[in-house]
Structures are given as structure tokens and as C-alpha cells.
Amino acid sequence: MSLRKLLLRLPGYLGASGPPRRLWRFPSLGPVSSVGSGRERPSRSPAHWNQVVSEAEKIVGYPTSFMSLRCLLSDELSNIAMQVRKLVGTQHPLLTTARGLVHDSRHNLQLRGLVVLLISKAAGPSSMNASCQNYDMVSGIYSCQRSLAEITELIHTALLVHRGIVNLNELQSSDGPLKDMQFGNKIAILSGDFLLANACNGLALLQNTKVVELLASALMDLVQGVYHENSTSAKENHITEDIGISTWKEQTFLSHGALLAKSCQAAMELAKHDADVQDMAFQYGKHMAMSHKINSDLQPFIKEKTNDSVAFNLNSAPVVLHQEFLGRDLWMKQIGEAQEKGRLDYAKLRETIKAGKGVTSAIDLCRYHGNKALEALESFPPSEARSALENIVFAVTRFS
């Protein structure tokens, strides 16, 4: 399927044609825990996530919080922003997404672009192709690689916006008037499509067929991953099936890992690096994204201050692993014991899961992917950029 056809069908996949299947509220990512991998940390590695990201931004030349600034300040998106203001005071999830884009104090939304820039600098120019020397280079990164980082962020942001589409069939009285949700859905579809259109235009300007193919396949993976996420989450309320950790890994790679992995590979292609270097960049992006996702899944179970009444994803890594250890029958028994007046008591279920092996196994899995990411980095020469990439892994795989 061509990229153009995929973009035309994307709103339909995400719920724009006909009523969406469910309420797609994108949970805010908590601050990433500082935790320990099995490897020795460099003495210069900062422990705090925000410090890790801030120091990495200095290495690549400018804060990635300005990554998509040119697009976000365009006249078209400014007009959309004026419409989004009309949602103030409503419960539409697009407002939460918009606030996160403007004030990303946890440095999670722009992480993908930052990693693309860092791995571009870590690899440097290709020694096999002198034509790359003609490219503009700033802070050790080609201008085309910076453009790729922006495109990666645009695609990711567009998917975040599209996930703000509300299932009108599942509205409750606490969600507010129907007309507010309908209006918010229209704005979510329009603004997400606008960002994707800008991403496509940027890809075309790169004039590299392989890079276009890589990012198009990443976008298809994202759509497929979100579709499966949507399907399995829709079954949560009925607890009808467990997906298994192998299926979880496949779905998580599609929805969270493919974009970063293929963007890292594309950055190497733009610098004309050989297939081996491209594969190592892909492996780093894949395993770092998987580790980051598992860390995010673990937050409800390891945070010192957690609102016990807040629901958590029953298809998150710790829960899936907990189910596998227990078996289907015991898991269903625990679900039944956590039911109160027909509703699931998440506080009680959380404590039950924490008492099992799922959380510790998820931590081990997080460290496994972190170590695989570090192994991929060993093929790159030592540098500040490589150290920053290592520090990002250390920050998501050290649990205190």
C-alpha cells in the first residue's frame, strides 16, 4: 500500500469513519524511573531522567522541544489551535494531548526525535561514500537527518492526536455534552491529518526512496499496532482473553517500537552507512523503545505515590506476565475476587499483582531490552553522543 493511500485510510482505521470503537484516552507518561541495568554505569551518567534528556539536547545542538516548531506555528495549525480553545472546560481528551505538546515537562513526547539526532551524531559521516561530505552539517549532524527527526516527531504527534478520538457510543454523563465530544473529534481528525500531511511533504523533500519506504512501513506498523491495542483493550471490560507475552511483544513493537527503530535506520541510510550499521541503529531504536514502554507500564506498580483507585492497563507488561505465571483459571479467580458491585477494584487487583512475579519479571524484561540496546551501541565509536544514548538506556532500566 502506498503512503498516500495509507494516509487516506488512516482516519478510518482510527475511528473517523463511523463511530470509533472505544474511548481512546492516551495516558500521560509518568516520569521515567531511574533504574539499574546489569551493566556498570559511566561515572558521568546523570541519574535523573530530565537531566539525562537536557544533557543529550546540548549534544545535538538545540532543544528537541522545538523540533516541530515550524509546523506548530504555521497559519493552518494556528487556526486549528483557535478551534481547540473552544474545548476548554470540556472533558475531551484532545485538551490533555494539547497541553502535553505545549508543556512537556517530562521530556517524553520529543524523545524519538532526540534519539534519531543522537544516533546520527554517534555514527557520524560514512567513510564509504564521499558524496555525504557535501551535505550541510551542524554539530555533527546532517541537515537531512535533522529533518528526519522532525518528521519522526510529526508522525508520533499525529498518532497521539488521533488517539484523542472519543467513542461516542461509550459516553457517560460525566463526559459532558455530546456536541462537545463531536466537535473535539472533528478537530482531532483534522489536526492529526494536517501533521501527517506535513510529515509526508518532509519525506518527499528528502528525496530518498528507501527512507520513504522505511517511514511508510513504520506508519503502517503504528496503525496495525493501534488497531490491535484497540481490539484487546476493548475486551478488558469483559476479561475474555489474555494475550500472552509473545503477542504483547509483537503488538508493542508495532505500536511503540517500529517508528523509532526504522527512523534510526533511516538516519543511517541518509548518511550512506552500510547495512550492518543500519541494522545496529535499528536494533538500538527497537530495544530502547521496548524498554521505555515496559518502564512506563511498570509505573503504577512501583511508584511510591500512586492513586490506588486509578485504573491501569490490564494488557500492560506486568499484568500479562502475572497472568502467564498464574494460568488462566487462577487469573480469572483473582479478577473475580477483585470485583466489587460489578466493578473492578483496581487497588485490590494492583496489590494482588504486586505480590506475584509479574512485576519483577517485567523489570527483568526491561533490563533485557536495555542490555540489547547497549549491545547495539558497541558497534559505534565512543563519543559524547553514544554516551548520551547509553545514559537514556540506564535511565529507563535502573529501578531504585
Side-chain angles (χ1 to χ4, degrees):
M1 183 186 300
S2 69
L3 182 58
R4 180 175 178 274
K5 289 181 179 178
L6 176 64
L7 291 175
L8 289 174
R9 296 186 184 186
L10 186 61
Y13 291 142
L14 296 174
S17 59
R21 299 182 190 85
R22 56 180 283 261
L23 182 63
W24 282 12
R25 297 186 186 276
F26 186 78
S28 61
L29 296 175
V32 178
S33 293
S34 293
V35 281
S37 74
R39 301 187 175 211
E40 180 182 356
R41 291 180 61 200
S43 59
R44 295 180 58 195
S45 302
H48 194 270
W49 173 253
N50 287 351
Q51 188 178 353
V52 169
V53 174
S54 296
E55 292 188 0
E57 288 180 333
K58 294 175 185 176
I59 293 172
V60 298
Y62 62 87
T64 49
S65 54
F66 296 108
M67 190 78 71
S68 305
L69 192 60
R70 287 179 293 181
C71 176
L72 294 176
L73 292 181
S74 65
D75 291 338
E76 294 90 346
L77 205 59
S78 295
N79 290 332
I80 294 175
M82 292 296 292
Q83 300 300 318
V84 172
R85 289 181 60 185
K86 297 178 182 179
L87 293 173
V88 174
T90 72
Q91 300 296 317
H92 200 284
L94 180 59
L95 278 176
T96 303
T97 303
R99 280 193 293 267
L101 294 174
V102 174
H103 183 63
D104 178 24
S105 61
R106 292 167 179 166
H107 298 285
N108 281 312
L109 292 179
Q110 300 288 345
L111 176 64
R112 289 151 191 82
L114 176 60
V115 170
V116 170
L117 294 176
L118 285 171
I119 206 158
S120 298
K121 184 165 184 174
S126 172
S127 58
M128 305 298 294
N129 195 320
S131 64
C132 281
Q133 308 300 329
N134 297 325
Y135 284 87
D136 295 332
M137 180 178 276
V138 178
S139 297
I141 303 168
Y142 294 121
S143 59
C144 57
Q145 292 172 321
R146 291 188 183 274
S147 296
L148 175 66
E150 293 183 11
I151 291 165
T152 301
E153 286 302 336
L154 284 175
I155 293 173
H156 175 63
T157 304
L159 266 292
L160 289 184
V161 172
H162 273 149
R163 286 189 181 200
I165 299 171
V166 170
N167 186 342
L168 302 179
N169 290 334
E170 295 183 3
L171 286 180
Q172 301 176 0
S173 58
S174 59
D175 292 322
L178 174 63
K179 62 182 180 64
D180 290 341
M181 295 296 126
Q182 290 174 327
F183 179 74
N185 279 0
K186 292 177 183 178
I187 297 301
I189 293 167
L190 178 62
S191 52
D193 287 353
F194 173 77
L195 293 171
L196 285 174
N198 274 269
C200 288
N201 184 58
L203 276 175
L205 292 175
L206 291 178
Q207 298 182 349
N208 187 304
T209 303
K210 183 175 179 180
V211 170
V212 173
E213 291 176 352
L214 282 170
L215 270 293
S217 65
L219 184 53
M220 293 176 71
D221 289 340
L222 275 168
V223 173
Q224 185 180 351
V226 169
Y227 174 80
H228 286 301
E229 237 178 40
N230 184 24
S231 299
T232 53
S233 295
K235 297 171 183 174
E236 275 189 23
N237 293 333
H238 308 289
I239 323 292
T240 55
E241 70 175 67
D242 39 39
I243 62 174
I245 195 62
S246 297
T247 303
W248 180 90
K249 287 180 180 180
E250 292 173 5
Q251 294 181 7
T252 300
F253 171 72
L254 292 174
S255 60
H256 292 83
L259 178 60
L260 181 57
K262 293 181 180 181
S263 292
C264 289
Q265 181 182 351
M268 300 301 97
E269 165 64 23
L270 287 172
K272 306 300 180 185
H273 285 288
D274 60 32
D276 290 339
V277 175
Q278 290 187 30
D279 182 60
M280 289 300 99
F282 176 94
Q283 294 300 325
Y284 175 82
K286 170 187 174 181
H287 290 291
M288 202 289 292
M290 295 291 288
S291 184
H292 186 271
K293 178 60 169 64
I294 297 168
N295 185 292
S296 178
D297 283 357
L298 279 163
Q299 294 307 304
F301 304 95
I302 63 174
K303 272 186 177 179
E304 292 182 2
K305 296 180 180 179
T306 302
N307 187 341
D308 288 340
S309 63
V310 173
F312 52 87
N313 189 348
L314 295 182
N315 289 318
S316 62
V319 181
V320 171
L321 287 165
H322 178 76
Q323 294 177 45
E324 286 209 339
F325 280 114
L326 283 182
R328 174 72 175 173
D329 293 339
L330 282 177
W331 169 241
M332 293 306 297
K333 181 181 178 182
Q334 289 186 350
I335 288 291
E337 292 172 347
Q339 296 278 351
E340 296 228 354
K341 296 180 180 179
R343 302 189 67 175
L344 190 59
D345 185 343
Y346 280 92
K348 185 174 182 179
L349 185 60
R350 180 185 287 106
E351 293 306 313
T352 300
I353 293 171
K354 288 170 69 173
K357 299 179 180 179
V359 174
T360 55
S361 296
I363 291 174
D364 290 341
L365 185 60
C366 181
R367 289 172 175 167
Y368 165 79
H369 285 290
N371 283 331
K372 296 295 285 185
L374 292 174
E375 287 176 13
L377 285 178
E378 290 176 358
S379 62
F380 294 87
S383 66
E384 277 190 321
R386 192 182 102 166
S387 295
L389 290 168
E390 291 171 344
N391 290 341
I392 289 174
V393 174
F394 291 134
V396 297
T397 57
R398 288 185 61 88
F399 295 86
S400 54

